Amino acid sequence: MDNDVDGFERLRDPVLAGPAAALSLPFVEGGFTPAEIAAAAAHGPAKVFPAHVGGPAYVRSLLAVFPDAVLIPTGGVRLDDVAAYRAAGALAVGVGSDLVRHGDLAGRLECLRRSP
């Protein structure tokens, strides 16, 4: 479990989906294949992991097939790619090591805030 900025604890392991629902905790399911994404998106926003494998073009392709899906690419997302993921239709991106590892976290978050 990790603490989100809004104070909720976010669970990420799909095995915990049932227990999370039972406790009314926010949960983001995910996957990589179209079938996994469709199953996850049926329950709300879906995490696309690892996003760097297909990049923004893969997110765009998924949304062409599943136009009502709400996607959050996660895994290997670089700060320089955030605008492209958003332009492809992603709701948000998962914050990973490239987005937070460089000493200037406040500056990098400001870059994200200004992304389209």
Side-chain angles (χ1 to χ4, degrees):
M1 282 190 234
D2 296 317
N3 285 329
D4 276 348
V5 293
D6 61 7
F8 287 101
E9 290 191 353
R10 180 73 61 174
L11 301 172
R12 289 179 172 73
D13 187 338
V15 172
L16 300 175
L23 295 170
S24 299
L25 291 174
F27 182 79
V28 178
E29 284 188 58
F32 184 74
T33 68
E36 292 167 341
I37 296 299
H43 304 285
K47 178 175 69 172
V48 179
F49 181 85
H52 74 282
V53 173
Y58 186 57
V59 169
R60 190 175 297 107
S61 295
L62 288 168
L63 289 170
V65 179
F66 309 115
D68 295 329
V70 176
L71 302 181
I72 304 170
T74 305
V77 175
R78 295 184 358 244
L79 183 61
D80 296 340
D81 298 331
V82 172
Y85 279 107
R86 296 280 293 130
L91 169 69
V93 297
V95 175
S97 61
D98 189 65
L99 302 178
V100 299
R101 73 171 171 215
H102 306 283
D104 181 21
L105 180 57
R108 295 181 75 73
L109 291 174
E110 179 61 21
C111 287
L112 289 174
R113 190 187 66 74
R114 287 182 283 145
S115 290

